[in-house]
């Protein structure tokens, strides 16, 4: 169900006035799509839920700054991405360099011969080390260039490029391994 422009204005007005029903309508309309964005940046479903919740708190806090120029969805998406980046920055201070290179294990599910679905690929992306996952998503999905990524994450452009290259290599390894496991299971 699409929120029509006039209806969207009514809902925004209600949200600004603190109307809980309108806040729920806004959340209900955008939460599913924004959760998909959160999943790409998070390392788990729980972390994605946290990012989504924090993002919508910010949406409601900052809604008065939405000028109406551009799409509301794009404005909310930017808040979600920035919240994911902030969560990463907070997390990075608690990680050592060793933690960032040790990726752990990934789910071994039987996905059929040489078949990886969207959900399976998402799980593999979620298993990338945090910095690699963020750079990969900002570049490959959000279309940011390395200068923009560097500014957003506090990295040099060359570090952004290097992290993207490593993310791709790790992802390719994981995909190959997953395909081999699924082929053996058949």
């Amino acid at each position: 169900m699409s929120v029509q422009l006039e209806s969207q204005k009514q809902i925004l007005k209600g949200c600004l006035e603190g109307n809980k029903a309108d806040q729920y309508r806004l959340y209900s309309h955008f939460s599913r799509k924004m959760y998909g964005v959160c999943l790409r940046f998070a390392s788990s479903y729980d972390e994605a839920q946290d990012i989504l919740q924090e993002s919508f708190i910010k949406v409601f806090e900052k809604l008065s700054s939405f000028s109406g120029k551009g799409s509301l969805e794009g404005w909310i998406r930017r808040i979600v991405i920035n919240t994911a980046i902030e969560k990463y920055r907070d997390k990075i201070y608690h990680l050592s360099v060793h933690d960032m290179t040790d990726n752990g294990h990934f789910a071994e599910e039987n996905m059929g011969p040489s078949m990886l679905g969207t959900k399976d690929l998402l799980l593999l992306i979620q298993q990338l080390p945090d910095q690699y996952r963020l750079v990969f998503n900002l570049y490959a999905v959000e279309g940011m260039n390395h200068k923009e990524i560097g500014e957003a994450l506090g990295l040099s452009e060359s570090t952004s490029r290097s992290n993207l290259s490593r993310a791709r290599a790790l992802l390719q390894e994981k995909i190959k391994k997953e395909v081999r496991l699924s082929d053996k299971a058949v």
Side-chain angles (χ1 to χ4, degrees), residues 34-103:
M34 294 306 133
Y35 183 63
V37 174
C38 294
L39 282 171
R40 289 197 317 270
F41 287 95
S43 60
S44 69
Y45 291 105
D46 289 338
E47 187 177 47
Q49 284 284 7
D50 289 345
I51 293 169
L52 183 69
Q53 181 177 354
E54 288 175 35
S55 297
F56 271 94
I57 289 170
K58 290 176 184 178
V59 164
F60 293 122
E61 289 173 348
K62 297 177 180 185
L63 197 55
S64 63
S65 70
F66 177 65
S67 66
K69 295 178 182 173
S71 76
L72 179 60
E73 180 178 330
W75 183 79
I76 293 172
R77 182 186 190 90
R78 176 72 9 222
I79 289 174
V80 170
I81 291 169
N82 287 338
T83 302
I85 290 170
E86 288 170 19
K87 191 155 189 81
Y88 161 76
R89 283 183 184 148
D90 290 344
K91 191 176 182 181
I92 196 67
Y93 293 112
H94 304 322
L95 295 175
S96 70
V97 172
H98 176 72
D99 292 335
M100 291 183 66
T101 59
D102 182 16
N103 194 24

Side-chain angles (χ1 to χ4, degrees), residues 121-172:
L121 187 57
L122 178 62
L123 286 171
L124 295 178
I125 291 170
Q126 286 177 329
Q127 293 165 13
L128 291 171
D130 292 339
Q131 190 164 330
Y132 295 171
R133 184 179 63 253
L134 258 75
V135 170
F136 178 82
N137 280 308
L138 291 172
Y139 185 86
V141 180
E142 299 303 325
M144 293 173 73
N145 63 41
H146 291 292
K147 182 177 181 184
E148 294 168 325
I149 294 169
E151 289 170 359
L153 299 179
L155 307 170
S156 68
E157 287 182 54
S158 61
T159 300
S160 176
R161 282 187 190 88
S162 172
N163 286 340
L164 177 63
S165 176
R166 290 180 182 141
R168 285 177 172 163
L170 281 172
L171 196 53
Q172 287 173 348

Side-chain angles (χ1 to χ4, degrees), residues 8-52:
Q8 182 176 322
K9 286 181 183 178
Q10 293 282 356
I11 291 171
L12 289 175
K13 183 176 184 270
C15 288
L16 290 169
E17 293 170 352
N19 182 303
K20 299 292 183 199
D22 284 328
Q23 289 174 342
Y24 180 75
R25 282 199 253 327
L26 183 74
Y27 175 83
S28 295
H29 182 73
F30 290 108
S31 63
R32 186 177 175 123
K33 188 176 277 190
M34 294 306 133
Y35 183 63
V37 174
C38 294
L39 282 171
R40 289 197 317 270
F41 287 95
S43 60
S44 69
Y45 291 105
D46 289 338
E47 187 177 47
Q49 284 284 7
D50 289 345
I51 293 169
L52 183 69

